[in-house]
Amino acid sequence: MHLWLQPDTTPDAVLPGVTRLLGRAESAAAPCPVHGRVRLSARPHQVPHVR
């Protein structure tokens, strides 16, 4: 799973929900194992260019 965070969002605000989502996926896929990996990224602020 690759999550794009807003510039003012912290990973601490997002990870509990992602953990719950992966837990639900594990329950739904039982008895098959579910392996989750989360990658967090943030987009840089767009600075307008003046010419």
Side-chain angles (χ1 to χ4, degrees):
M1 181 183 309
H2 191 152
L3 303 174
W4 288 96
L5 302 179
Q6 295 294 328
D8 57 344
T9 304
T10 63
D12 292 337
V14 177
L15 287 176
V18 173
T19 302
R20 283 191 301 274
L21 179 65
L22 288 173
R24 293 176 88 185
E26 287 177 346
S27 296
C32 299
V34 173
H35 303 282
R37 182 171 61 180
V38 178
R39 180 177 174 185
L40 301 173
S41 298
R43 294 182 188 239
H45 291 272
Q46 296 292 334
V47 179
H49 295 280
V50 177
R51 292 184 181 197

